[in-house]
Amino acid sequence: MANDIPIVVVGLMGAGKTSVSRLLGESLGRPVRDSDEYLRERYGATAAEIAEREGMEVLHAREVEHLRACLAERPAPVIAAASSVLDDPGARAEMKPALVVWLDAAPEFVAEKIAAKPYRPRFGMEPLVLATELHERRAAFFEEVADLRFQRPSTSKREVARAVLDHLERRRSRLTP
């Protein structure tokens, strides 16, 4: 796969997007772009703070803004994208040329991660209720965009990164005459 095709890592909060993206970026020598870091740097607030102060719609619009900017960036980065971007049909369509890696995690696992990190938005819901609702609402969108799917945590972050790198190598081998 050419270096001009972005890699987008998607999944619910706490699935391991940031860690997997960093492993891939380091291995591939690509820049890594993370939605949470972007929000803190650009707006001086965490996702939870933005959601609380300005509302969920503003937060999600900013997360889509981040994805779109990253997809246009060259050299193509590895992008740890907020799962909310999948609610936007235009954003899903814009991901089609990218390699999209889905870290699929059970709501129980995600709920533990939400509860452990105060910067993760809860939208006024208990972590398990929120994780279950998000999983049910976005599962079809994840399936629509994903080129590769990994179950977390049964597949470790390092195993995911290795499998993605192997996929890229096989693809590169098929494309090289």
Side-chain angles (χ1 to χ4, degrees):
M1 175 174 274
N3 276 345
D4 63 343
I5 299 174
I7 299 170
V8 182
V9 182
V10 296
L12 295 179
M13 297 181 264
K17 298 181 300 286
T18 298
S19 297
V20 168
S21 295
R22 287 182 179 148
L23 290 168
L24 290 170
E26 183 177 302
S27 295
L28 295 167
R30 290 192 187 194
V32 176
R33 303 294 180 246
D34 181 270
S35 180
D36 290 330
E37 290 173 8
Y38 167 80
L39 294 172
R40 283 191 296 272
E41 289 170 11
R42 173 97 193 259
Y43 298 103
T46 65
E49 291 166 339
I50 293 168
E52 186 175 314
R53 287 194 304 238
E54 300 179 60
M56 181 172 45
E57 295 79 16
V58 169
L59 170 63
H60 291 172
R62 289 177 179 172
E63 290 168 335
V64 169
E65 165 190 287
H66 173 254
L67 173 70
R68 287 189 168 128
C70 293
L71 287 171
E73 200 176 309
R74 294 298 176 267
V78 179
I79 306 162
S83 67
S84 67
V85 301
L86 296 175
D87 293 340
D88 183 309
R92 291 195 310 273
E94 290 175 50
M95 282 190 266
K96 289 199 187 301
L99 174 67
V100 181
V101 178
W102 175 18
L103 305 182
D104 187 9
E108 295 77 14
F109 176 77
V110 171
E112 289 176 20
K113 300 297 184 173
I114 292 170
K117 304 284 182 167
Y119 62 84
R120 292 195 169 113
R122 296 187 185 184
F123 308 110
M125 302 168 83
E126 289 299 316
L128 183 56
V129 173
L130 174 61
T132 300
E133 190 271 330
L134 291 174
H135 191 272
E136 289 172 359
R137 180 161 38 105
R138 294 185 176 141
F141 297 151
F142 284 125
E143 288 180 21
E144 175 187 334
V145 301
D147 296 298
L148 300 171
R149 178 181 182 177
F150 300 94
Q151 292 297 316
R152 289 278 301 128
S154 60
T155 307
S156 75
K157 296 170 198 173
R158 290 199 181 282
E159 289 169 330
V160 170
R162 181 74 261 154
V164 172
L165 294 170
D166 290 347
H167 172 84
L168 292 170
E169 186 56 38
R170 285 191 305 275
R171 195 165 182 168
R172 188 178 359 263
S173 296
R174 286 193 308 267
L175 296 175
T176 305

